[in-house]
Amino acid sequence: QYMQRFDDDLERCFSDWRVDLKKVGGPRELLQLQWDDMALALMHCRTRSVNLGQEGAVAVVPGIDLFNTARAEKVNIDWSLGNIGDSVNVHSLGSVGSGTELCIQYCHLCDNSALLLLWGVYMEGNPIALDPFSDRSFCSTSPAS
């Protein structure tokens, strides 16, 4: 429910912005933008980005959506910020053999209801107890948070 309310608020905000933009005039390209375009961009950002740990700062990292998720003991891929914070480095946590599934931790606080809500995945043996009524506001919308 939290994410749906959040997205509903974003859609209302977007609609208000479009009305205001039409009143004051704006670039034709922006006036053509529809909510479906924004919802798709939001989904891409949520599923292809990492939380940089700085008040909502995220980075869209090409290819990160190709990694699966797993319990912490099976994770073999991680990421880190570059030395001056202008890049994201994705690296293995050791030797990875040919044909090995590459896994990154999507959310270390999420139970399966949150994983299903945010990424559409269910993790067998998820150590976080299922609580469909818990507050989801802690959930980052990015993998590897």
Side-chain angles (χ1 to χ4, degrees), residues 66 68 74 76-77 95-103:
L66 298 175
N68 290 319
K74 295 195 177 239
N76 55 11
I77 299 293
S95 179
V96 178
S98 175
T100 301
E101 181 179 26
L102 301 177
C103 297

Side-chain angles (χ1 to χ4, degrees), residues 6-22 29-39 41-42:
F6 183 81
D7 286 354
D8 290 345
D9 287 345
L10 281 177
E11 185 173 5
R12 279 189 292 278
C13 182
F14 175 78
S15 295
D16 292 346
W17 171 80
R18 287 193 76 225
V19 168
D20 289 344
L21 188 64
K22 285 180 184 176
E29 295 82 9
L30 289 179
L31 292 172
Q32 294 172 352
L33 199 58
Q34 300 295 314
W35 172 248
D36 287 347
D37 302 316
M38 291 299 296
L42 182 60

